Amino acid sequence: MSADTALPARRPDEPASPPAPRLDRAAIEEVLASGRRLLVQGAMGINASDGLSGKVAAVRTRRLLGVGTISAVLKTPAMLAAEIRRAKREAPGGFVGVNLMAAIHKQDFEALARTAFAEGASFLVQGAGISREIVKWCRAAGIPFVGIVSSGRLAAMYEKWGAEWLVAEGAEAGGHIGDIGHPLLQLLDEVKAATSLPVVAAGGIEAHDLPTVFAHGAAGAQLATRFLASRDGDVHPNFKDMHLRRGNPDVTLITSCVKGMKARAVKNAFTDALAAGKHFPPRSKTWFFGPEGYMGRTKDCIECLGDGLCLCRESDFQESFCITDALLEAAVHGDVERGLFYTGQSVTGIEETDVGRLPTVAEIFEDFERAIGGTAVEGPGARAADLDIAARFL
Ligand SMILES: Cc1cc2nc3c(=O)[nH]c(=O)nc-3n(C[C@H](O)[C@H](O)[C@H](O)COP(=O)(O)O)c2cc1C
């Protein structure tokens, strides 16, 4: 890592907080031995999962242990540090990880990894792209590395590199999809056969699917879409509303500017325009990042992605679209016409219809617990005892 990447200054009124407990292979084995599975909240880029990670990491039920994941996408180091500290405050002794995408600008990748390490994340999980360097950095920092995989081959490679656990993400997932030909249960069996690491299943999982993915040997389940439609979470209310009352015709696959990967989104005027071949070059980002730009970059294209990975930049802005503009319009402005609203296939199973009457994260967990035959979320006394499970890993 470059030595000149400055870490964010801690505000004088903000005391240093202890690191979150490490979520490594041994910790997961201990959780499983206690009769629980992991229920991981998948990271969602820009601010779509902000405000959720601490709420999820604070929940313990008889059968499930909540794990939060913070997205580092389009955060400055100061923004990422603030979100990690917030989650740790909301879930003392809980597991709070950070998701870092290897496809982002290399300078940002390094700065954000350093921040996750310095702030004591429980783990670092890598999506969209592969970087071996980060596995080495994690080992040096003593932070468990987690890989998101879409094949058994990649799972075996990550195990060799030193990953502590894996997320097998099937084609039903939201946002960028590793392999659209690989549905979750098929992938899960393939990954389980290729590695001895604990595997968390992700992609299109609804509460009633939990017994099935656990029966296929998953150490836990990762869900993101269900948590979007929650009373908790900072994302724009229109983003939450776009996740209500949706059937199969409302869900579409687009070709993302990120390496031309397929991505799942709620169908709207923006995805229709993309399908019709319209392109959307970047506009000024000062409306969000201010006159200083993003990480000191002030051009319309803030080069959010690494060299050679953005179809928009590679085509000299003549093709594709600016993903930063489109995601900011959705998650921050809540513009239902111009925004890109990533979603998972499970959006069609969300039963609530009114954005003013969404369940809290804790209430969503009650549904999960009931679906696996447990009782409701335990009371405050029992919860304190359960917190010891996480605290022991400090
Ligand atoms: C709006 C949205 C944004 C996402 N952003 C990211 C991301 O930045 N990095 C990542 O690794 N996965 C991202 N994902 C994938 C989720 O973390 C999750 O693994 C996947 O959607 C499977 O869960 P689900 O089917 O319940 O949505 C995103 C998903 C959604 C719906």
Side-chain angles (χ1 to χ4, degrees):
M1 261 185 268
S2 54
D4 59 350
T5 315
L7 288 173
R10 184 165 278 124
R11 286 202 328 261
D13 58 337
E14 190 164 15
S17 58
R22 304 284 188 258
L23 187 58
D24 57 15
R25 184 179 182 154
I28 293 179
E29 280 162 5
E30 204 164 329
V31 170
L32 296 178
S34 78
R36 289 179 173 83
R37 307 286 175 125
L38 304 178
L39 199 303
V40 183
Q41 160 259 317
M44 291 177 277
I46 315 283
N47 71 340
S49 54
D50 286 6
L52 290 171
S53 310
K55 307 280 189 319
V56 172
V59 178
R60 310 290 188 276
T61 69
R62 281 193 201 285
R63 309 265 184 103
L64 298 169
L65 186 74
V67 176
T69 319
I70 292 167
S71 165
V73 172
L74 279 181
K75 285 188 173 66
T76 62
M79 289 161 79
L80 178 60
E83 192 59 22
I84 296 172
R85 289 174 200 170
R86 172 191 188 187
K88 286 197 295 182
R89 263 196 316 274
E90 290 179 341
F95 292 115
V96 176
V98 169
N99 177 288
L100 193 54
M101 301 208 304
I104 64 173
H105 194 294
K106 194 162 186 321
Q107 221 175 301
D108 304 348
F109 188 73
E110 291 186 4
L112 294 166
R114 277 173 66 87
T115 304
F117 298 154
E119 294 294 326
S122 295
F123 57 91
L124 200 142
V125 55
Q126 176 172 255
I130 299 167
S131 151
R132 189 167 186 177
E133 238 181 339
I134 189 76
V135 189
K136 294 181 186 154
W137 297 347
C138 282
R139 189 170 307 132
I143 304 277
F145 171 82
V146 183
I148 300 181
V149 299
S150 56
S151 71
R153 194 185 56 78
L154 190 55
M157 189 184 84
Y158 271 141
E159 178 164 17
K160 214 160 104 197
W161 284 3
E164 291 284 328
W165 51 283
L166 301 170
V167 178
E169 195 177 73
E172 303 88 340
H176 295 108
I177 300 162
D179 178 358
I180 53 167
H182 234 134
L184 174 60
L185 288 182
Q186 188 190 320
L187 174 68
L188 183 56
D189 291 345
E190 181 184 315
V191 170
K192 288 285 300 169
T195 172
S196 67
L197 294 176
V199 180
V200 167
I205 299 173
E206 297 180 44
H208 61 82
D209 300 316
L210 292 174
T212 308
V213 294
F214 295 160
H216 278 251
Q222 172 164 303
L223 285 80
T225 299
R226 171 63 270 195
F227 289 117
L228 273 174
S230 156
R231 199 183 313 161
D232 298 311
D234 300 351
V235 78
H236 196 284
N238 290 354
F239 203 116
K240 299 182 183 188
D241 193 59
M242 284 293 268
H243 279 70
L244 309 182
R245 309 172 301 278
R246 301 295 145 189
N248 280 330
D250 301 312
V251 180
T252 189
L253 288 178
I254 63 155
T255 301
S256 168
C257 68
V258 185
K259 299 188 286 178
M261 287 174 84
K262 292 291 173 203
R264 182 170 283 105
V266 180
K267 196 170 181 302
N268 67 348
F270 182 75
T271 62
D272 287 347
L274 286 183
K278 200 163 179 320
H279 76 286
F280 296 88
R283 301 188 308 274
S284 168
K285 301 303 181 310
T286 51
W287 64 268
F288 184 67
F289 295 114
E292 302 303 315
Y294 175 67
M295 301 280 206
R297 303 193 290 271
T298 53
K299 290 180 292 186
D300 281 357
C301 173
I302 55 165
E303 301 184 358
C304 60
L305 300 175
D307 289 341
L309 298 178
C310 174
L311 298 187
C312 180
R313 180 148 58 111
E314 287 305 294
S315 66
D316 200 19
F317 313 111
Q318 298 307 303
E319 288 170 29
S320 198
F321 67 100
C322 171
I323 194 159
T324 295
D325 276 343
L327 294 179
L328 285 172
E329 287 294 2
V332 178
H333 275 176
D335 189 322
V336 298
E337 303 275 316
R338 300 200 304 178
L340 175 59
F341 295 82
Y342 277 163
T343 192
Q345 193 55 44
S346 66
V347 70
T348 60
I350 292 174
E351 287 175 359
E352 294 83 20
T353 55
D354 179 353
V355 75
R357 301 168 71 92
L358 293 176
T360 61
V361 162
E363 288 164 349
I364 291 172
F365 264 83
E366 287 180 9
D367 278 350
F368 296 157
E369 185 73 4
R370 270 191 294 272
I372 53 172
T375 51
V377 178
E378 297 176 354
R383 236 180 93 181
D386 286 340
L387 273 174
D388 289 346
I389 289 179
R392 267 185 289 136
F393 300 121
L394 275 169

